[in-house]
Amino acid sequence: MVFICRQCGTCCMFMGDYISIEHQNGPFEFACESVSTGTPFIASIDEDKREIFLDTTFSDLHPTACRFLRPDGDHIRCTIHESSPCQCKFYRCVVMKIFDKDGIPVGFVNGNLSLHSDDLHLRALWEEAGRKISLRSDDAEIQLQQYLADKGYRIE
Ligand code: SF4
Ligand code: SF4
């Protein structure tokens, strides 16, 4: 499936501990660290988002959210889109939607190839697939899709 980010902000709501601000270098520039990889980066607030960034009401109300997340009309946006770390840029919250043979949605897979499902049979199959398919291989996503399709699931 082609992934289109809806800019809902859900994936950034608990990233406050993972995108850490070390110093403020200027009014709109921060020395940061992406904690999960230990990678330092300079965050510059996008020019067109400086006004919404200055309103910290959202951050104050949501202390677990990434400090660079702000509401903007119907969206919740990253205010450092241009300078955000690469794992943020390439993050995809849904790369596969999984349906059973009756067309009932039973789970989804995110860009890290993690399954989110309450279906115990599907979860067991996913573990089995993970033992047979290297998740590091370039075509892991396609192989996993095929694996589930062969077991009767429909993938979108
Ligand atoms: S990647 Fe994040 S912001 Fe974009 S649609 Fe998914 S959860 Fe929402
Ligand atoms: S830097 Fe931007 S994309 Fe990354 S967690 Fe923060 S708000 Fe989300």
Side-chain angles (χ1 to χ4, degrees):
M1 69 182 273
V2 176
F3 176 71
I4 298 171
C5 174
R6 292 173 287 111
Q7 300 192 36
C8 67
T10 305
C11 59
C12 309
M13 286 301 289
F14 298 95
M15 291 299 282
D17 287 341
Y18 295 93
I19 303 291
S20 97
I21 296 176
E22 307 292 325
H23 304 286
Q24 182 160 6
N25 296 341
F28 296 108
E29 187 177 292
F30 300 83
C32 299
E33 182 179 311
S34 180
V35 174
S36 56
T37 56
T39 314
F41 68 100
I42 299 294
S44 299
I45 307 300
D46 298 337
E47 279 191 29
D48 61 345
K49 304 194 187 83
R50 290 181 175 179
E51 195 177 325
I52 58 171
F53 177 76
L54 288 173
D55 182 349
T56 60
T57 311
F58 182 84
S59 276
D60 297 341
L61 287 173
H62 301 282
T64 58
C66 175
R67 309 320 286 164
F68 296 114
L69 197 63
R70 291 290 185 277
D72 184 14
D74 292 339
H75 296 100
I76 300 184
R77 293 189 200 280
C78 172
T79 57
I80 59 164
H81 188 67
E82 287 176 23
S83 55
S84 61
C86 58
Q87 62 265 43
C88 289
K89 283 194 172 69
F90 294 115
Y91 183 73
R92 298 172 298 160
C93 60
V94 180
V95 295
M96 284 183 225
K97 292 179 184 166
I98 305 168
F99 301 82
D100 68 11
K101 61 181 173 32
D102 299 318
I104 310 277
V106 287
F108 69 90
V109 175
N110 71 15
N112 299 331
L113 298 184
S114 299
L115 172 72
H116 297 258
S117 174
D118 293 329
D119 183 314
L120 294 179
H121 179 64
L122 176 58
R123 283 164 58 164
L125 266 183
W126 190 257
E127 277 184 28
E128 185 181 285
R131 287 193 290 274
K132 296 181 176 176
I133 296 167
S134 167
L135 298 185
R136 289 166 186 256
S137 65
D138 290 343
D139 64 345
E141 209 171 301
I142 292 166
Q143 287 192 61
L144 288 163
Q145 285 183 17
Q146 190 58 53
Y147 193 88
L148 294 181
D150 289 347
K151 304 289 181 188
Y153 287 92
R154 181 164 65 79
I155 314 297
E156 282 183 5

